[in-house]
Amino acid sequence: MTNDSVTVVVATRNRRDRLFETLPEHQAPVILVDNASDDGGPEEIATAFPAVEVVRLGENIGAAARNEGVRRAVTPYVAFADDDSYWSPGSLARAAALMDAHPKLALLSARVLIGPEGRLDPVSEAMAAAPIGTPAGAPGPAILGFLSCAVVVRRTAFLAAGGFQPRLFVYGEEALLAMDLAAAGWWLCYDPSLVVRHFPLPAGRDRGARRRIEARNRMLTALLRRPAGVIARTVAAAMREAPAAGWDVARALPWALRHRRLLPPEVEADLVRLSAPPA
């Protein structure tokens, strides 16, 4: 069964073999945005899956590759998937129906099951706890963060918010977009009846480099949207974790200050509640 209200956008780089496993599982039109792969994947995918729209980028732009997929989509809703994930049968149709029924809803996050055994992702478990409550009339608990491989977005809202910020590249890029959607008055909700299967490979990439990028992105996101006290605490914690990230932030500081825009008080208050330790 396919869904004509949703397009699946997959961003990838050098993951040809994984895509041959996951692309057949998608139950909606797929736009594959390739971040300048050099493994022959785009050509092989285009031949093996002629129904998939393959977009070849000239350089690796990280998470912002998804923006290009959303721009090319012609459906009102877009589901994101990674090259190692897919949406379970029926989930996209249900997500589209919920979006149709709730015009204030910009983003729906699914329950993520990891690996063949279907372990619940801890992020999904945290969302289900509804720490910031459920808006009246909303289809599920409010959230202010998400996993990119497990959300459906309203295309117009995503584009109006600017999509994923290219300067953040990857790792933690979701936080800024979630803040900006909420600041614009949209609902972001979690619905455990939507399911994404995720099959990540064992960690093999440079963990030190990832920690540095994640720390940089936390600091930049705070500089862009949060008050001074939060910035100070975020910088202190991030510098303890990855001191070299401070140099990255220093280079980006003029840009961050030019684009700084504080969140509405109600959104900031929800973020504070999310960061508070459990009672």
Side-chain angles (χ1 to χ4, degrees):
M1 182 184 71
T2 59
N3 189 290
D4 58 7
S5 296
V6 184
T7 300
V8 176
V9 167
V10 181
T12 188
R13 175 174 166 79
N14 289 338
R15 300 290 294 277
R16 173 189 57 201
D17 294 344
R18 211 62 167 153
L19 287 165
F20 270 88
E21 296 173 0
T22 56
L23 284 176
E25 303 291 340
H26 294 303
Q27 299 189 332
V30 176
I31 298 176
L32 178 71
V33 187
D34 184 84
N35 267 318
S37 290
D38 55 14
D39 65 349
E43 294 75 21
E44 293 186 28
I45 293 297
T47 299
F49 301 96
V52 173
E53 180 180 349
V54 179
V55 181
R56 300 171 177 83
L57 301 181
E59 60 178 322
N60 181 7
I61 62 172
R66 301 186 190 106
N67 300 349
E68 181 60 26
V70 176
R71 283 190 287 266
R72 289 172 178 256
V74 296
T75 52
Y77 314 122
V78 174
F80 295 125
D82 287 347
D83 40 32
D84 57 6
S85 73
Y86 59 85
W87 290 75
S88 291
S91 291
L92 293 179
R94 173 165 170 75
L98 288 170
M99 288 283 196
D100 285 344
H102 299 89
K104 292 181 64 177
L105 187 60
L107 181 147
L108 266 173
S109 182
R111 178 164 51 105
V112 179
L113 302 180
I114 302 173
E117 68 278 18
R119 291 180 289 110
L120 181 64
D121 192 297
V123 174
S124 298
E125 187 175 9
M127 290 179 178
I132 55 175
T134 301
I143 57 175
L144 275 172
F146 58 90
L147 297 173
S148 291
C149 70
V151 294
V152 175
V153 298
R154 189 177 300 272
R155 181 176 178 273
T156 52
F158 178 92
L159 293 175
F164 293 102
Q165 169 53 245
R167 293 292 291 260
L168 300 181
F169 195 58
V170 291
Y171 305 141
E173 73 277 2
E174 300 96 340
L176 181 62
L177 177 59
M179 292 177 195
D180 287 348
L181 286 170
W186 291 102
W187 286 346
L188 294 77
C189 295
Y190 171 67
D191 186 340
S193 72
L194 312 176
V195 177
V196 162
R197 299 303 307 271
H198 190 200
F199 299 88
L201 293 171
R205 299 179 181 177
D206 186 338
R207 293 186 179 182
R210 176 166 183 159
R211 280 196 303 271
R212 178 172 176 170
I213 295 171
E214 288 176 336
R216 179 203 66 183
N217 286 349
R218 286 198 300 274
M219 289 188 279
L220 286 176
T221 299
L223 280 163
L224 287 165
R225 297 290 181 266
R226 308 295 302 276
V230 174
I231 294 172
R233 292 190 294 274
T234 301
V235 169
M239 291 294 287
R240 287 193 298 271
E241 179 181 334
W247 294 105
D248 304 329
V249 172
R251 286 192 291 269
L253 188 58
W255 167 81
L257 294 177
R258 284 197 308 272
H259 293 86
R260 179 168 166 77
R261 184 175 71 248
L262 285 175
L263 296 169
E266 62 275 14
V267 178
E268 178 60 33
D270 281 342
L271 287 169
V272 171
R273 288 169 61 192
L274 281 171
S275 65

